[in-house]
Amino acid sequence: MSKGINTQAVLAMRGAGYYSERTAGARHVINDAGTMVIEALAQTPQTPRLRIADYGAADGGTSREMWDMVIGHHRANGDNRQIEMLYTDLASNDFSTLFRMMQGMQGDPGHAYQSRYENVFVHGCGTGFHRQLMADASLNLGFSATAMHYVSVKPMEIPTHLHAACADPESRAAYAQQAAQDWEHILLARAAELIVGGRFICLNFGIDEQGRYLGNTGGQHMFDHFHKYWLGLFEDGSITADEYKRASFAQYYRTMDEFCAPFNDPDSAVRKAGLKLKSCHSKLTKCPYEAAFLAAGGVGGTMSNIDYANSLIPTMRSWSETVFRTALEGRDEDDINQIVNRFYDAYRDDVAANPSGHAMDYVHIILDIEKTA
Amino acid sequence: MSKGINTQAVLAMRGAGYYSERTAGARHVINDAGTMVIEALAQTPQTPRLRIADYGAADGGTSREMWDMVIGHHRANGDNRQIEMLYTDLASNDFSTLFRMMQGMQGDPGHAYQSRYENVFVHGCGTGFHRQLMADASLNLGFSATAMHYVSVKPMEIPTHLHAACADPESRAAYAQQAAQDWEHILLARAAELIVGGRFICLNFGIDEQGRYLGNTGGQHMFDHFHKYWLGLFEDGSITADEYKRASFAQYYRTMDEFCAPFNDPDSAVRKAGLKLKSCHSKLTKCPYEAAFLAAGGVGGTMSNIDYANSLIPTMRSWSETVFRTALEGRDEDDINQIVNRFYDAYRDDVAANPSGHAMDYVHIILDIEKTA
């Protein structure tokens, strides 16, 4: 981990609920996974108490409805076991918002499951999920959504783009190698934490069988647009060559093959640690903001183009802004705000001028993993 | 909990390490308790793994050296059991600083025990310690220092002072009743969490056999000074009558008798829940800032009076400022800053004019509690 660029600062999300309020799409994907989680939990050994972990949970907002549903299901079925929920993210995460949301002190109290149900204990862990985060064999079910595309370190800055999915072969290979190593660390850590019979369900951003990924599903290409506006800021002299380069996302979208590789090799450390892949499939989730726009009649309908642009850009901004802000580190805050606003305003103006094909569809690779003896 | 004044906002500490950096005295008291903790842990059942909780830990800074010492002791003795450390505080607590400190990303890395030792997992819990915070019978040792003098709600505002320890009989009785109820809740929650043979060691602010308490140990009376300057701001028209009244501390210093009461009654819920008091004693810790001043020769020595005042006031300010800021809620931030600065400047100027007797000695009541079958 000593080489490469440390990503702790890069990954700081905007706090105070900003992330979860602007990620309706992520929440929908997670809610759909609730049934899978309930079925998996029903198949795990009936330990005296349940420990569940949600890895890379940010402020916990996108998965809160799902956990509320899962816990409600258990209680309705007479399963009154005590439940410890461990939310993990980086140390910089906004754990205060998370704790407040679960207790009904912030956000819609309707899903504040800690106050709705007895004997549910909410904990946080501020250590990255590439490491083991709790005692051996203490976890019934691990869950992670839309988090494990982050690499633990950036192996290099990408010279001619800002995302590995669109990078030159050399950069892409470097990110692929880092992501493979991270994935092994992630899986070995979970193998240690899980009880025998425990499950790890993860919904990761990735590349599906048709080569599609987040924001690149046939219409306008989101990351190419990001790159275009960022390059434009360099070309008009607003940012330096170094700032242009530093905006590489600390992300890698693994292909399905890459996700499955450690499970397909019987001699892999992951297999030897007892992990077994029960299923893997891809899932496309249409952009909920575009869906709302189309439902309103699309261009010429009851939602104006600019209103659509103003609904779409914040969902992109919620998770990407930190990358650009970090690339500008060293400038004063007003300067950073002004540049970053210009960047997103350029994207917004393009969408407003011609919304057609602009959207942020999600592509998830969904894995159900079991810890065997 | 519906009556009275909610204290969630009142209790928000200043973040980013400010608290622990300015509380050398609290750290010394905790370090002294390290031996007690080590002995208690040695007497608890040898479970496959250890779970330890630190209740009301703020940013974890004041107890970090102690836990580093305790864990180091275990490892040096060949006890390599995995350890889960659960830090608890209110949701508003600065958990990010806490997590960073344990990983060596902030503060002196010399005591960043999570990075110094293998198999130590640090978790946080943002729910108040008056409630159960983890699964039944999952805790080997609970610890709390300088935290449980906070009451869960203020039963009333104190009309003529700002601390229950100096209040009129009626206010004092109301705070005493709230504190007794809180203490029972605290103990019953710990009784549920502890394994049989587990221990709860707490170092609480309280009133000792001689009637002494924090900042009132024979010299100048800290809370009377707080009250004098706050009243002065009301009398000169700087704050309103309502603001004057709202600065009641959400605190109660229990006497040793009050701490011991639930253990002395064989029919108490606490005794029935299996808790037994192994020991209770008081401890006076001299103010480290005054000690440094006296070591430098006191008045006329090598430390100037103003330097002493500038070292002493921040340690008082670190935990008390939030009370005054909250009392001023509704004013704009600059206004609040200006009033609060004037308040502490008045105290500083008094100390600088005549340092004699100004100090913040600590008075702790130290309890060692065991969970029996």
Side-chain angles (χ1 to χ4, degrees), chain A residues 118-193:
Chain A
E118 296 283 312
N119 286 313
V120 181
F121 309 109
V122 175
H123 301 163
C125 176
T127 308
F129 50 58
H130 300 97
R131 299 181 49 191
Q132 184 173 345
L133 302 181
M134 67 201 86
D136 287 351
S138 66
L139 179 67
N140 295 67
L141 181 127
F143 177 85
S144 184
T146 321
M148 291 175 171
H149 54 296
Y150 285 102
V151 287
S152 60
V153 287
K154 290 201 272 188
M156 59 188 286
E157 300 289 1
I158 300 165
T160 55
H161 208 285
L162 38 66
H163 201 284
C166 320
D168 60 284
E170 188 197 342
S171 305
R172 193 180 152 78
Y175 277 74
Q177 191 183 357
Q178 182 62 53
Q181 187 191 310
D182 284 350
W183 185 227
E184 181 174 88
H185 288 164
I186 289 169
L187 292 173
L188 292 177
R190 304 300 83 83
E193 294 164 353

Side-chain angles (χ1 to χ4, degrees), chain B residues 98-126:
Chain B
L98 189 155
F99 290 136
R100 277 194 287 261
M101 284 215 286
M102 304 314 154
Q103 293 174 63
M105 298 154 76
Q106 185 173 332
D108 170 15
H111 298 295
Y113 62 76
Q114 188 185 350
S115 58
R116 278 161 54 77
Y117 300 104
E118 297 284 312
N119 284 313
V120 181
F121 309 108
V122 175
H123 301 162
C125 176

Side-chain angles (χ1 to χ4, degrees), chain A residues 8 49 51 82 84 86 90-97 99-100 103 105 114-115 117 119-128 131-138, chain B residues 8 49 51 82 84 86 90-97 99-100 103 105 114-115 117 119-128 131-138:
Chain A
Q8 297 284 351
R49 56 180 182 252
R51 179 181 249 177
Q82 295 188 318
E84 290 188 1
L86 181 64
L90 296 178
S92 55
N93 187 50
D94 185 359
F95 285 97
S96 291
T97 291
F99 289 135
R100 277 194 287 262
Q103 294 174 61
M105 298 154 75
Q114 188 185 349
S115 58
Y117 300 104
N119 286 313
V120 181
F121 309 109
V122 175
H123 301 163
C125 176
T127 308
R131 299 181 49 191
Q132 184 173 345
L133 302 181
M134 67 201 86
D136 287 351
S138 66
Chain B
Q8 297 283 350
R49 57 179 180 253
R51 178 181 250 177
Q82 295 188 318
E84 291 188 0
L86 180 64
L90 296 178
S92 54
N93 186 51
D94 185 358
F95 285 98
S96 291
T97 291
F99 290 136
R100 277 194 287 261
Q103 293 174 63
M105 298 154 76
Q114 188 185 350
S115 58
Y117 300 104
N119 284 313
V120 181
F121 309 108
V122 175
H123 301 162
C125 176
T127 308
R131 298 180 51 189
Q132 184 172 345
L133 302 181
M134 67 201 86
D136 288 350
S138 66

Side-chain angles (χ1 to χ4, degrees), chain A residues 15-35:
Chain A
Y18 184 97
Y19 174 71
S20 62
E21 284 165 18
R22 284 161 188 80
T23 47
R27 196 167 62 247
H28 297 168
V29 176
I30 292 172
N31 286 348
D32 285 349
T35 314

